[in-house]
């Protein structure tokens, strides 16, 4: 079984993003919730078992992409 490839990121709500992955021709949907407390970001994935069983591989690059999108959204919202 190959690692899932990130195909799409969609903003759901303030801190939630829908991540769509492709793995061996199947679509996997995961919700990522970004929490920044004290300047330190953390991420929670639902369903968590996709992360636990290694389907997503190393999640640090995924979190980096979602965090960059969140910061871009937050900065564009602040300038409005």
């Amino acid at each position: 079984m190959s690692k899932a490839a990130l195909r799409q990121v969609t903003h759901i709500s303030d801190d939630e993003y829908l991540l769509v992955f492709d793995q061996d021709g199947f679509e996997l949907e995961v919700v990522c919730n970004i929490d920044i407390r004290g300047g330190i970001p953390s991420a929670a994935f639902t369903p968590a078992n996709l992360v636990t069983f290694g389907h997503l591989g190393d999640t640090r690059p995924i979190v980096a992409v979602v965090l960059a999108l969140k910061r871009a959204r937050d900065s564009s919202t602040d300038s409005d």
Side-chain angles (χ1 to χ4, degrees):
M1 176 181 352
S2 65
K3 299 291 184 211
L6 181 61
R7 192 178 59 178
Q8 179 181 336
V9 179
T10 304
H11 178 253
I12 298 173
S13 67
D14 191 34
D15 295 328
E16 288 186 330
Y17 293 82
L18 176 65
L19 311 178
V20 179
F21 295 88
D22 180 53
Q23 184 177 28
D24 299 329
F26 293 97
E27 189 175 274
L28 303 172
E29 291 186 352
V30 178
V31 174
C32 178
N33 188 307
I34 297 291
D35 185 17
I36 302 175
R37 293 183 191 190
I40 301 172
S42 66
F45 296 92
T46 305
N49 64 340
L50 291 177
V51 177
T52 304
F53 295 123
H55 292 284
L56 305 184
D58 183 2
T59 59
R60 290 176 294 183
I62 298 166
V63 172
V65 167
V66 176
L67 187 57
L69 290 172
K70 176 174 175 37
R71 287 182 173 153
R73 277 189 71 78
D74 289 351
S75 68
S76 70
T77 303
D78 291 342
S79 65
D80 290 344

